[in-house]
Amino acid sequence: MSRTAIVTGASSGIGRESAIALAQAGWNVVITARRADALEETKSMCAVEDERVLVLSGNITDEDFVKKLFEESVKQFGRIDLLFNNAGVNAPATPLEDLSLATFQNVLSVNLVGPFLCAREAFRVFKSQTPQGGRIVNNGSISAHTPRPLSAPYTASKHGITGLSKCIALDGRAFGITCTTLDIGNAATVLTKRMQAGVLQPDGKLMAEPTFDAAQVGAALVYLGGLPPDVSVPHFTIMAHNMPFAGRG
């Protein structure tokens, strides 16, 4: 029986690499993000039959769109086995007293409300399908354990993801639903190019930080998705070797 995964934020970076990895491992893949043209690029890079990759562009903070996303996925492939809540945003490093409410709320909306909406719809599908169950992987962050300076919106959202994941795992236990928080540190994407020039450290210094190939996150997702349903991985951390983590220095 073929397996189906939904990957949010699949227009670039970690989401794109994850979609490619899953497709090439034999999964049907539903890819979503706001930019339809970039999603079509991701689809072509999957290099599999067209009918195995469904493109649905939209905003995961839009409740109606998220419902449509899951309805269309089930209509196309019959069931859903894996949800990767990957879509997310950051905010510029800003002193707390200068941080606008709009910025704070936008980061929480995309990074936490969006995953909640997707997880809720996944629960509805997972509980109703036969065989029952499925796996949710939430993109967390090293910042959920040790924050960077001036990162209140992002860090708060990723702490929220940790709590959401624990509740998903607990509430889904009786229905064959597992949940993993996938904490990622310095996967090389467009967003991490600034790390080559220097990232603010707790002591006030700027320091270049190592990164690692984002394709390795895709490999991790294939591993998690391939586990038997009676195996759960509550927490999975993948990061660049030698990046500042413990103590952030």
Side-chain angles (χ1 to χ4, degrees):
M1 181 175 64
S2 61
R3 296 171 296 173
T4 299
I6 294 178
V7 179
T8 71
S11 57
S12 62
I14 290 169
R16 171 172 284 178
E17 294 293 346
S18 297
I20 292 169
L22 287 164
Q24 295 186 353
W27 289 69
N28 301 318
V29 183
V30 182
I31 54 176
T32 187
R34 289 174 295 179
R35 296 180 294 150
D37 55 341
L39 286 174
E40 290 295 339
E41 291 179 8
T42 299
K43 179 177 181 177
S44 67
M45 294 170 73
C46 287
V48 296
E49 299 89 344
D50 278 354
E51 61 270 17
R52 285 184 46 213
V53 183
L54 176 62
V55 174
L56 292 169
S57 60
N59 190 331
I60 60 160
T61 67
D62 181 336
E63 185 175 19
D64 290 337
F65 169 72
V66 173
K67 290 179 179 179
K68 176 185 175 183
L69 171 66
F70 281 79
E71 289 169 358
E72 292 296 320
S73 298
V74 172
K75 181 179 178 181
Q76 175 86 357
F77 297 116
R79 63 178 285 117
I80 300 168
D81 302 279
L82 172 66
L83 164 65
F84 183 28
N85 272 322
N86 166 72
V89 296
N90 204 341
T94 305
L96 197 64
E97 67 271 21
D98 297 328
L99 188 63
S100 72
L101 177 59
T103 296
F104 191 86
Q105 288 180 327
N106 179 64
V107 173
L108 262 66
S109 181
V110 176
N111 291 5
L112 188 56
V113 175
F116 155 71
L117 290 173
C118 291
R120 186 185 67 181
E121 297 309 310
F123 257 59
R124 291 170 174 168
V125 174
F126 290 164
K127 285 185 175 183
S128 64
Q129 63 191 9
T130 304
Q132 192 179 59
R135 194 173 296 272
I136 296 174
V137 178
N138 289 328
N139 187 338
S141 174
I142 297 297
S143 291
H145 305 276
T146 311
R148 293 187 181 279
L150 308 180
S151 66
Y154 184 80
T155 295
S157 71
K158 293 305 182 180
H159 275 73
I161 283 292
T162 300
L164 178 64
S165 295
K166 290 178 179 180
C167 289
I168 289 170
L170 177 60
D171 296 345
R173 184 184 297 167
F175 306 98
I177 300 169
T178 68
C179 187
T180 300
T181 305
L182 181 59
D183 288 330
I184 304 168
N186 289 12
T189 67
V190 173
L191 297 177
T192 59
K193 283 186 177 180
R194 64 186 177 86
M195 293 180 177
Q196 299 171 8
V199 181
L200 181 65
Q201 303 299 310
D203 62 2
K205 296 179 181 177
L206 292 178
M207 184 182 78
E209 292 189 11
T211 60
F212 72 100
D213 189 348
Q216 294 303 318
V217 180
L221 194 64
V222 170
Y223 165 74
L224 291 169
L227 291 171
D230 61 346
V231 176
S232 179
V233 180
H235 236 117
F236 192 118
T237 301
I238 183 168
M239 55 183 273
H241 182 57
N242 289 335
M243 73 164 287
F245 177 28
R248 282 287 192 193

